[in-house]
């Protein structure tokens, strides 16, 4: 429709040129262009409307100028030399410039703006130079008009030159090409063409109809360009502008123009005023210089940034050999950096380096990455064996096939062999008894649960044999601990011999063992039979340090499916105590009438409800010290239950009960509030304590509670403790359960500034990969590792844990430090902090308060790690 109207206007105008009808058509064309612009402005989104509005104002001012000119011509009978029309025209230019500039530079960096302006100025100057002798010098030479009129006339070629520079610049910029539509460019070119043509052929009336048509077309095109199609491609905010030969040439080639012009006039025998050429050359030189200077600066800056980044990555990968591969869509290696030929050999296919057993996983992950371009997929695979053991790599795969800068699948390989070895060792430790190599309590419980499930499905049976050595303490006391350990090892060996392969033998601690009999229809009978055999094999004396020791055991058996699997252990335990009481070495089978040992637990279970209301809980505080300086840095809050009838009960006894029946939630809230309140009070009372940390234990069930994060936030607000002073401790088990929700909650807390520590690190599930999923700050190395430090020995696994902390930039706190030797060795191996009886036992609040003056004011030492770590 717009096209139809435009064609009609053009036809009428051309046919009736020089008449009133022709003039009317001209005015209608220009006015219509402005109206079109205002209407189209409604389709522009808010962010860009300002720029486009300026352009529409430009078109409108142009229409007003035309009207003013016409009215003048009609009333005066001849065209005016200078009139209000010129004011509108100049406004029209200015509005157009402003709008174009905004479109061109909207959102881009200031630096690029300046470069763009320089380019524009260069092109503007060239344009002015080209039109100078025709449009400017002649005007100044014309003495019949005043200086003022001369100035107005001269301003047009100059404004046109600037517009010319702007349009050229817009066409050269990738960014602006997407932003300003082709219509706008065409419109501006139509206007410019008509303007420049006018300067050269102003006096020839036969052309003027075509010039007028050019102006109409220009106005309508610009008006129409405002209209934005809804499906326009979103603009690429960061379309990079390359600094190539072209851009540099742009700075200097224009310098040829003045000399070229001079030569031209010289060979044509024209006289020319040299001053404009000289001034222009100087200006172009200055601009070219500024442009090169900025290019050089930008280049230096880019290089410095690159170096910084390289150094950063180098630091990060110092512990391991990272490699980046770029593959094509079928897995062919296109690029490797840096090229660890030892890993890749001369294979050209990435799969050639993966261990055959992990190939399927690798290919699956690769296929997923291809399917979801732009998303990162991860897997851990072994490298194809090449002589020196197994190497593990964590691979992060992202498909950037669609990205024109890469057009490949990027694979980042990170050597995780050390971590895998450590993790395998920790896992073994987590489920096995270090002394005998038998399963431990955790593994046994796990096996019992699985066996119970299986038995329920298949109708098979299961039974548990529980044995406790009689008078074992005597062996320890008379022959020493080493002899005691040897006896335990020998008994473990014998127990292994009496069981079938499918049975599990476990050491539950001290001198207690258990055997799970599963997958047997006659489990109970088999267990009884096994118990007899055990009695039998114990008759043979054990020979240690040249002496024969004869051991006996009390044996209990449980075999029931009605009650939950967990009670199987408890029932076997109860039966074993019966056997011990009887003292005749005869194995005892559990029956429900034996409740004895359970009673105590029942009592606590009921008593524990309401401990908070009855005010029976109390906190004690164990100091945490920095190993390097020996300075006190904070306290761990530990809970105690002052039971009215039974005296003080430790958390190891009542926390599991509280966790089982849910009363841990109010207990945990109380502990948190009390600890924060005390710490806040200390911080206010002692200036030295301002940088002090208070660490609070949190159990799984607390964290699982939906209000937990809110609780912490509220408690901090109400007690006035800074989030940065609080550290929450939780065990690995907490993290493994419902990892996604947990990670979310922890992230919120971490963002608040609360520190997070992994308690008893190394004893749990030990899938070390969770350390990267959770925002952890501190690893608390479990006491069992610390007590492994003896004489010259520093356990390799402890060194591995400290190393892991360093690699992940986490602080480490060693728990349960009891001797100076342990402290010194830990310090030498780079452990940051410690707590333990060597420094102080858990103290009452009043005792702890006496230590506060020893605190060193300042930032919490372990927060430094967090702040220096990149997000
Ligand atoms: P934990 O978090 O590993 O706390 C350290 C335990 O080791 C404390 O026992 C402490 O008294 C003891 N300990 C400290 N230094 C040494 C040392 O040098 N040698 C030895 N042998 N032991 C040392 P406690 O206070 O009986 O706490 C036992 C466990 O109960 C804690 O282990 C923690 O898991 C849990 N617990 C304590 N308070 C709370 C609490 O408020 N909430 C929750 N959910 N759990 C708590
Ligand atoms: Ca703890
Ligand atoms: Ca601990």
């Amino acid at each position: 429709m717009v096209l139809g109207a435009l064609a009609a206007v053009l036809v009428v105008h051309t046919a009736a040129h020089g008449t009133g009808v022709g003039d009317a058509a001209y005015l209608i064309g220009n006015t219509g262009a402005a109206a079109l612009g205002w209407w189209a402005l409604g389709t522009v989104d808010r962010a860009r409307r300002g720029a486009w509005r300026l352009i529409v104002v430009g078109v409108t001012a142009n229409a007003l100028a035309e009207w003013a000119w016409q009215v003048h011509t009609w009333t005066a009978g001849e065209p005016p030399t200078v009139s209000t029309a010129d004011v509108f025209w100049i406004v029209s230019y200015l509005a157009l410039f402003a709008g174009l500039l905004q479109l061109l530079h909207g959102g881009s960096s200031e630096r690029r703006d300046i470069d763009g302006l320089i380019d524009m100025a260069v092109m503007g100057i060239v344009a002015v130079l080209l039109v100078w002798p025709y449009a400017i010098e002649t005007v100044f030479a014309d003495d019949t008009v005043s200086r003022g009129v001369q100035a107005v006339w001269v301003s047009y070629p100059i404004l046109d030159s600037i517009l010319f520079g702007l349009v050229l610049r817009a066409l050269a910029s990738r960014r602006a090409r997407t932003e300003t539509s082709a219509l706008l460019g065409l419109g501006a070119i139509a206007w410019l063409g008509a303007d420049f043509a006018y300067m050269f052929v102003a006096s020839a009336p036969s052309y003027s109809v075509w010039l007028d048509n050019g102006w109409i077309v220009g106005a309508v095109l610009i008006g129409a360009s405002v209209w934005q199609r809804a499906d326009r491609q979103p603009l690429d905010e960061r379309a990079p502008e390359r600094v190539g030969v072209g851009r540099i040439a742009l700075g200097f080639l224009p310098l040829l123009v003045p000399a070229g012009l001079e030569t031209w006039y010289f060979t044509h025998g024209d006289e020319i005023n040299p001053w404009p050429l000289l001034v222009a050359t100087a200006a172009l030189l200055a601009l070219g210089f500024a442009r090169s200077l900025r290019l050089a600066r930008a280049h230096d800056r880019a290089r410095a940034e690159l170096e910084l980044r390289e150094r950063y990555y180098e630091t990060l990968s110092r512990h391991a050999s990272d490699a980046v591969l770029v593959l094509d869509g079928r897995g062919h290696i296109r690029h490797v950096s840096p090229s660890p030929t030892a890993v890749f050999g001369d294979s050209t296919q990435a799969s050639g380096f993966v261990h055959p057993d992990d190939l399927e996983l690798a290919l699956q992950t690769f296929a997923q990455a291809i399917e979801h371009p732009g998303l990162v997929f991860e897997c851990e695979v072994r490298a194809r064996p090449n002589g020196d053991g197994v190497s593990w790599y964590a691979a992060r795969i992202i498909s950037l096939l669609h990205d024109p800068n890469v057009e490949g699948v990027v694979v980042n390989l990170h050597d995780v062999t050390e971590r895998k070895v450590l993790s395998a060792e920790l896992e073994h430790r987590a489920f096995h008894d270090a002394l005998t190599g038998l399963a431990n309590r955790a593994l046994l419980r796990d096996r019992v649960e699985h066996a119970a499930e299986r038995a329920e499905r298949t109708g098979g049976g299961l039974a548990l044999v529980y044995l406790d050595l009689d008078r074992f303490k005597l062996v320890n006391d008379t022959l020493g601990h080493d002899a005691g350990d040897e006896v335990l090892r020998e008994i473990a060996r014998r127990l292994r011999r009496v069981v079938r392969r499918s049975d599990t033998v476990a050491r539950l601690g001290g001198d207690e063992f258990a055997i799970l009999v599963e997958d047997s229809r006659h489990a109970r009978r088999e267990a009884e039979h096994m118990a007899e055999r055990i009695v039998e094999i114990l008759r043979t004396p054990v020979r240690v340090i040249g002496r024969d020791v004869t051991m006996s055991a009390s044996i209990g058996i449980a075999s029931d499916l009605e009650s939950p699997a967990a009670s199987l252990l408890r029932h076997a335990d109860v039966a074993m105590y019966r056997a011990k009481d009887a003292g005749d070495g005869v194995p005892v089978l559990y029956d429900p009438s034996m409740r004895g040992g359970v009673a105590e637990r029942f009592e606590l279970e009921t008593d524990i409800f309401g401990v908070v209301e009855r005010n029976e809980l109390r906190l004690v505080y164990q100091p945490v010290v920095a190993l390097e300086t020996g300075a006190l840095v904070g306290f761990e809050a530990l809970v105690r239950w002052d039971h009215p009838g039974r005296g003080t009960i430790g958390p190891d006894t009542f926390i599991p009960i509280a966790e089982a029946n849910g009363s841990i939630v109010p207990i945990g809230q109380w502990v948190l509030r009390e600890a924060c309140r005390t710490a806040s009070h200390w911080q206010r009372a002692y200036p030295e304590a301002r940088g002090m940390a208070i660490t609070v234990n949190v159990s799984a069930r607390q964290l699982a509670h939906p209000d937990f994060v809110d609780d912490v936030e509220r408690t901090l607000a109400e007690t006035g403790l800074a989030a940065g002073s609080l550290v929450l401790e939780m065990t690995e088990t907490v993290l493994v359960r419902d990892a996604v929700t947990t990670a979310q909650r922890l992230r919120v807390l971490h963002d608040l500034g609360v520190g997070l520590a992994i308690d008893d690190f190394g004893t749990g599930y030990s899938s070390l990969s969770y350390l990267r999923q959770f925002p952890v700050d501190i690893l608390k190395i479990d006491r069992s590792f610390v007590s492994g430090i003896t004489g010259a020995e520093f356990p390799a696994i402890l060194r591995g844990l400290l190393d892991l902390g360093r690699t992940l930039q986490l602080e480490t706190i060693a728990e349960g430090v009891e001797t100076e030797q342990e402290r010194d060795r830990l310090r030498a191996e780079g452990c940051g902090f410690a707590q333990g009886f060597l420094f102080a036992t858990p103290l009452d609040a009043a005792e702890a308060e006496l230590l506060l003056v020893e605190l060193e004011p300042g930032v919490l030492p372990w927060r430094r790690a967090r702040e220096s770590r990149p997000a």
Side-chain angles (χ1 to χ4, degrees):
M1 199 189 83
V2 172
L3 273 183
L6 174 61
V9 167
L10 289 179
V11 167
V12 172
H13 173 251
T14 311
H17 188 59
T19 69
V21 176
D23 290 345
Y26 184 74
L27 285 180
I28 289 173
N30 279 301
T31 313
L36 179 65
W38 285 111
W39 170 78
L41 203 56
T43 65
V44 180
D45 65 55
R46 191 178 287 268
R48 285 174 300 190
R49 199 171 291 166
W52 285 103
R53 184 178 297 124
L54 282 168
I55 288 174
V56 175
V57 166
V59 178
T60 310
N62 174 65
L64 289 174
E66 299 292 358
W67 276 100
W69 192 85
Q70 256 326 320
V71 170
H72 256 279
T73 310
W74 282 331
T75 50
E78 56 167 359
T81 44
V82 170
S83 67
T84 40
D86 293 292
V87 176
F88 284 122
W89 268 316
I90 288 170
V91 167
S92 155
Y93 273 110
L94 295 181
L96 219 52
F97 292 163
L100 272 172
L101 276 177
Q102 253 187 44
L103 281 185
L104 208 50
H105 300 301
S108 75
S109 71
E110 194 201 343
R111 178 149 55 91
R112 221 193 285 155
D113 278 353
I114 293 178
D115 291 341
L117 286 174
I118 293 179
D119 289 349
M120 264 168 41
V122 166
M123 287 183 274
I125 290 175
V126 169
V128 171
L129 268 183
L130 290 175
V131 299
W132 185 273
Y134 302 95
I136 300 175
E137 202 146 78
T138 47
V139 170
F140 284 130
D142 184 353
D143 292 337
T144 59
V145 293
S146 69
R147 285 274 164 213
V149 174
Q150 280 181 354
V152 173
W153 284 359
V154 160
S155 69
Y156 288 111
I158 291 176
L159 289 169
D160 274 332
S161 299
I162 297 174
L163 186 60
F164 172 75
L166 244 173
V167 170
L168 263 194
R169 159 79 189 144
L171 291 179
S173 145
R174 202 168 126 187
R175 197 190 133 73
R177 264 210 296 279
T178 51
E179 176 71 11
T180 53
S181 64
L183 288 179
L184 181 57
L186 283 177
I189 286 170
W191 262 8
L192 281 171
D195 278 359
F196 284 122
Y198 177 76
M199 289 177 215
F200 296 108
V201 295
S203 46
S206 54
Y207 288 111
S208 72
V209 57
W210 296 111
L211 299 184
D212 286 353
N213 281 346
W215 281 312
I216 299 179
V217 170
V220 173
L221 285 180
I222 294 176
S225 73
V226 179
W227 180 59
Q228 311 280 304
R229 286 209 321 275
D231 60 347
R232 264 170 53 106
Q233 286 282 312
L235 121 119
D236 179 4
E237 278 296 342
R238 301 244 164 270
E241 303 232 13
R242 297 254 158 73
V243 177
V245 180
R247 300 297 294 275
I248 296 175
L250 202 62
F252 286 102
L253 280 185
L255 283 173
L256 282 177
V257 173
L261 280 176
E262 190 124 41
T263 312
W264 165 270
Y265 295 128
F266 179 76
T267 53
H268 286 69
D270 290 344
E271 278 290 308
I272 182 167
N273 178 358
W275 287 108
L277 291 184
L278 186 65
V279 171
T281 307
L284 287 175
L285 202 63
L287 289 171
F289 181 71
R291 192 77 166 84
S292 312
L293 202 66
R294 296 180 57 76
L295 285 180
R297 288 242 180 87
H299 180 249
D300 284 351
R301 222 180 348 245
R303 206 177 40 201
E305 195 170 306
L306 202 69
E307 271 169 15
L308 187 78
R309 208 170 308 164
E310 261 168 19
R311 231 168 327 157
Y312 175 69
Y313 283 120
E314 197 188 289
T315 319
L316 272 191
S317 60
R318 199 169 294 146
H319 281 269
S321 52
D322 265 26
V324 178
L325 307 186
V326 181
L327 312 180
D328 67 13
R330 278 165 306 155
H332 291 293
I333 300 179
R334 289 215 332 243
H335 176 72
V336 184
S337 104
S339 175
T341 31
V343 173
F344 299 102
D346 40 27
S347 170
T348 54
Q349 182 73 24
S351 57
F353 117 94
V354 181
H355 193 288
D357 292 351
D358 294 338
L359 195 54
E360 200 183 321
L361 172 68
L363 292 177
Q364 241 172 31
T365 315
F366 185 76
Q368 272 180 323
I370 297 265
E371 209 171 298
H372 307 279
L375 294 185
V376 178
F377 292 85
E378 303 187 30
C379 62
E380 290 189 348
V381 296
R382 282 162 292 177
R384 186 175 282 278
N386 64 350
D388 36 277
V390 192
S391 325
W392 279 91
Y393 286 87
R396 292 163 56 84
I397 308 179
I398 178 168
S399 165
L400 297 176
L401 284 165
H402 59 287
D403 181 337
N405 293 321
V406 183
E407 287 181 345
V409 181
V410 180
V411 181
N412 181 284
L413 288 178
H414 180 69
D415 188 336
V416 292
T417 313
E418 250 173 58
R419 197 193 82 205
K420 277 284 180 186
V421 171
L422 180 64
S423 147
E425 199 174 332
L426 287 175
E427 192 167 336
H428 185 85
R429 280 182 67 108
F431 292 113
H432 292 86
D433 168 45
L435 180 66
T436 61
L438 295 178
N440 66 6
R441 188 182 287 272
L443 183 55
L444 180 74
R445 194 174 297 140
D446 192 61
R447 294 260 168 94
V448 169
E449 269 164 28
H450 281 107
E453 271 170 33
R454 226 178 359 254
E456 210 164 312
R457 258 182 305 149
T458 63
L462 77 163
L464 194 72
V465 178
Y466 203 115
L467 64 138
D468 185 292
L469 299 180
D470 299 327
R471 292 172 303 279
F472 177 71
K473 197 169 172 300
L474 213 62
V475 179
N476 262 342
D477 291 350
T478 55
L479 303 181
H481 280 278
D482 288 346
D485 286 353
E486 186 46 42
V487 168
L488 290 173
R489 270 196 290 265
E490 171 59 20
I491 286 177
R493 269 193 291 272
R494 292 183 189 182
L495 287 176
R496 258 201 214 104
R497 280 205 297 270
V498 303
V499 303
R500 300 171 313 166
R501 276 176 64 86
S502 58
D503 299 337
T504 302
V505 186
R507 176 168 172 242
L508 303 179
D511 54 357
E512 291 173 36
F513 296 86
I515 300 163
L516 172 66
V517 181
E518 58 178 311
D519 283 339
S520 165
R521 250 170 230 303
H522 315 288
R524 202 191 71 198
R525 201 148 2 112
E526 214 155 292
E528 285 172 330
H529 192 60
M530 187 178 290
E532 281 162 26
R533 287 222 304 281
I534 292 171
V535 173
E536 194 72 26
I537 57 168
L538 287 181
R539 291 227 173 90
T540 318
V542 180
R543 197 159 177 86
V544 279
I545 46 171
R547 294 177 58 169
D548 279 340
V549 183
T550 306
M551 302 301 304
S552 65
S554 304
I555 303 178
I557 302 168
S559 164
D560 51 357
L561 269 181
E562 294 86 58
S563 46
S567 58
L568 195 65
L569 265 161
R570 193 138 44 91
H571 291 172
D573 190 18
V574 170
M576 185 274 292
Y577 270 106
R578 278 299 159 95
K580 187 151 281 201
D581 286 347
D584 52 6
V586 179
V588 172
L589 184 70
Y590 174 81
D591 85 75
S593 65
M594 310 171 178
R595 297 222 76 156
V598 208
E600 176 184 330
R601 194 178 152 101
F602 267 152
E603 193 186 319
L604 289 185
E605 246 167 52
T606 36
D607 288 355
I608 203 161
F609 287 108
V611 273
V612 174
E613 289 78 1
R614 292 195 307 273
N615 238 335
E616 289 170 6
L617 294 178
R618 166 168 62 90
L619 286 188
V620 289
Y621 301 88
Q622 185 173 39
V624 181
V625 299
L627 278 172
E628 196 57 52
T629 58
L632 177 66
V633 295
F635 294 91
E636 175 175 3
L638 296 159
V639 69
R640 300 285 179 265
W641 177 9
D642 293 324
H643 191 281
R646 291 149 159 272
T648 300
I649 302 177
D652 277 338
T653 308
F654 72 85
I655 292 286
I657 299 174
E659 275 178 343
N661 68 19
S663 55
I664 187 70
V665 174
I667 292 177
Q669 278 172 339
W670 181 87
V671 168
L672 181 70
R673 160 167 288 274
E674 177 67 12
C676 290
R677 201 182 55 78
T678 309
S680 172
H681 166 67
W682 287 345
Q683 287 188 346
R684 266 177 283 125
Y686 299 85
E688 299 91 342
R690 242 168 253 147
M692 176 200 103
I694 184 86
T695 79
V696 174
N697 294 282
V698 174
S699 67
R701 190 129 177 201
Q702 268 177 281
L703 191 62
H705 200 281
D707 295 341
F708 180 68
V709 174
D710 289 344
D711 261 358
V712 174
E713 236 178 306
R714 186 156 13 88
T715 307
L716 287 173
E718 286 173 10
T719 58
L721 187 71
S725 299
L726 178 66
V727 176
L728 298 179
E729 287 188 11
M730 48 209 82
T731 61
E732 292 159 277
T733 356
V734 173
L735 303 185
V736 178
R737 238 178 262 176
D738 195 6
V740 177
T741 319
T742 308
Q744 249 167 15
R745 295 209 175 131
L746 294 184
R747 194 146 289 290
V748 177
L749 288 171
H750 199 254
D751 288 347
L752 285 178
V754 174
L756 299 173
I758 309 265
D759 207 352
D760 306 344
F761 184 68
T763 62
Y765 285 74
S766 305
S767 141
L768 297 183
S769 51
Y770 68 76
L771 283 180
R772 285 190 301 151
Q773 283 169 46
F774 298 98
V776 174
D777 303 297
I778 302 168
L779 301 181
K780 295 195 76 173
I781 313 269
D782 189 63
R783 189 169 74 227
S784 61
F785 297 102
V786 173
S787 55
I789 303 174
T790 53
E793 279 290 306
F794 192 85
I797 187 148
L798 181 50
R799 187 170 293 137
L801 292 175
L802 293 174
D803 223 39
L804 184 77
R806 253 191 305 275
T807 311
L808 297 176
Q809 294 186 290
L810 305 177
E811 281 302 347
T812 38
I813 303 181
E815 297 185 298
V817 176
E818 293 180 349
T819 68
E820 285 173 9
Q821 186 184 38
E822 287 167 356
R823 177 197 63 197
D824 296 343
R825 298 303 308 269
L826 282 164
R827 180 170 47 206
E829 296 285 339
C831 180
F833 303 90
Q835 56 189 103
F837 295 164
L838 175 68
F839 308 105
T841 55
L843 309 169
D844 283 339
E847 294 171 316
E849 194 167 344
L850 295 178
L851 294 180
L852 291 176
V853 288
E854 287 175 22
L855 276 159
E856 290 187 3
V859 190
L860 287 180
W862 51 66
R863 309 200 66 86
R864 274 201 305 265
R866 170 165 168 181
E867 273 143 24
S868 70
R869 213 174 324 142

